[in-house]
Amino acid sequence: MRQNLVAGNWKMNLTYQEGLALVEEIVRLNQANGAGPEVVLCPPFPFLTGVGQALPQGGKLHLGAQNCHQKESGAFTGEVSAKMLASVGCEYVILGHSERRQYFGEDDELLSQKLKAALAAGLKPIFCVGESLDTREADETFDFIGQQLAAGLFHLSNEEFAQVTVAYEPIWAIGTGRTATSAQAQEVHAFIREQIARAYDAQAALDTTILYGGSANAQNARELFSQPDVDGGLIGGASLKAADFTTIIQSF
Ligand code: PGA
C-alpha cells in the first residue's frame, strides 16, 4: 500500500559505536512520530543486528540493508544473502543503487535476480532508478528510466511488485549538493507512476510508494515531499545527522 516513507542510506560510513549513537539519537528524537511516515534505517551489514536491537519493536522505525546477493546460500566468499538479512530483522533492502550499478557492475539482469532473492526471503526491496547528467542533457531521461524499469523491475508478478518501493535518484544529484527541483522530481515520479500503470494496472500505480533521493536535506525535504507523486525520500548524507534526519521525517 502507498505510504509515506523516509529511508536513511548510511552507505560505507561511521564506526559501529558511532552508528549506535546515531540510532539512539534518532529513536529518542522520534518517540512521538505516531502519525509520521514509515522510517527505514539502512546501516552497513556489520551494524544490522545492533541497530535492529536499538529500534523499538512494532513502531515506525524499521531495519533495512543496502544490498544483498542473488543466491540463497553457498560458496560466495564475502557476500550476504537476503535470507541472512531477514534473519537479523531486516524488513527492507535497497537494490539497484547507482553506486552499485556504477562501481560494482550491477546490471538489469543481476538486479532482477537480486529482486527475486529479496522477495523470496520476505524482504521489501527499495529499487533505485535514475539518469546521469549526460542522459538528462541529451533529453533522454524518460527513455532511460522507462528502460531501467522495464528491464529491471517489471518482470515481477503483480503480487511481487506490490512489495516494492521505487526510488528515483538522479545520479547528478547524489552526494553533489545539487538537488533536483521539486518540479523535476515530480515530473519523473509521475512518469514512473504512469509506467507502473501500463505494466500492471492503475491501482498498482496508485499503491506504489515512490521516493526521491539525491541531496535531499532538512531544508528542501518539505518542498520535495509536497509534490503529489513524491511519497518520501531516500536520504544519504543527511541521514547521518540525527537532527537533520528527524527534520526530514517531520517534513510531510
Ligand atoms: P545523498 O545520497 O542524499 O547523500 O545525495 C542519496 C542516496 O544515494 O541514496
Side-chain angles (χ1 to χ4, degrees):
M1 236 359 91
R2 183 166 172 184
Q3 57 197 2
N4 289 334
L5 192 150
V6 173
N9 176 8
W10 295 8
K11 307 192 181 184
M12 196 174 74
N13 291 300
L14 310 178
T15 63
Y16 183 54
Q17 289 71 25
E18 288 164 347
L20 284 186
L22 174 61
V23 70
E24 277 163 23
E25 189 65 359
I26 290 170
V27 169
R28 190 179 68 75
L29 293 172
N30 287 279
Q31 269 160 354
N33 176 36
E38 301 300 319
V39 177
V40 184
L41 303 183
C42 303
F45 289 142
F47 307 178
L48 284 169
T49 305
V51 168
Q53 283 165 355
L55 299 178
Q57 290 285 311
K60 295 222 159 194
L61 298 174
H62 308 274
L63 191 64
Q66 299 172 20
N67 179 31
C68 70
H69 194 263
Q70 65 274 22
K71 291 280 199 298
E72 199 183 313
S73 64
F76 300 102
T77 301
E79 290 296 324
V80 175
S81 75
K83 200 170 166 183
M84 290 173 188
L85 297 176
S87 75
V88 296
C90 276
E91 291 176 67
Y92 291 82
V93 60
I94 299 170
L95 291 175
H97 191 283
S98 62
E99 288 152 17
R100 300 291 319 170
R101 294 178 191 259
Q102 190 180 344
Y103 305 136
F104 301 93
E106 298 195 1
D107 59 14
D108 296 325
E109 169 57 28
L110 178 68
L111 291 170
S112 300
Q113 294 172 24
K114 289 191 175 205
L115 273 169
K116 287 280 190 189
L119 290 162
L123 298 176
K124 297 176 198 159
I126 299 174
F127 188 79
C128 306
V129 295
E131 82 287 1
S132 66
L133 192 56
D134 283 353
T135 301
R136 177 159 283 267
E137 287 177 345
D139 213 9
E140 289 166 359
T141 296
F142 294 116
D143 282 351
F144 183 81
I145 287 173
Q147 175 59 26
Q148 279 188 324
L149 292 168
L153 194 55
F154 291 162
H155 56 91
L156 297 178
S157 70
N158 287 58
E159 208 175 39
E160 290 171 328
F161 184 76
Q163 301 302 313
V164 174
T165 296
V166 178
Y168 168 56
E169 298 207 309
I171 298 170
W172 47 271
I174 296 175
T176 58
R178 183 178 167 186
T179 327
T181 64
S182 57
Q184 283 173 323
Q186 168 56 27
E187 176 178 64
V188 178
H189 282 228
F191 171 78
I192 292 171
R193 215 177 285 289
E194 205 179 284
Q195 300 308 300
I196 297 169
R198 283 186 192 197
Y200 296 93
D201 54 45
Q203 194 58 47
L206 282 177
D207 286 347
T208 303
T209 300
I210 308 178
L211 309 179
Y212 169 79
S215 298
N217 59 38
Q219 286 72 46
N220 60 29
R222 188 172 293 280
E223 167 69 17
L224 286 162
F225 298 171
S226 72
Q227 300 301 307
D229 287 299
V230 179
D231 304 312
L234 178 53
I235 316 297
S239 75
L240 299 172
K241 296 177 198 130
D244 286 5
F245 191 55
T246 301
T247 302
I248 294 169
I249 292 168
Q250 293 170 351
S251 295
F252 288 92

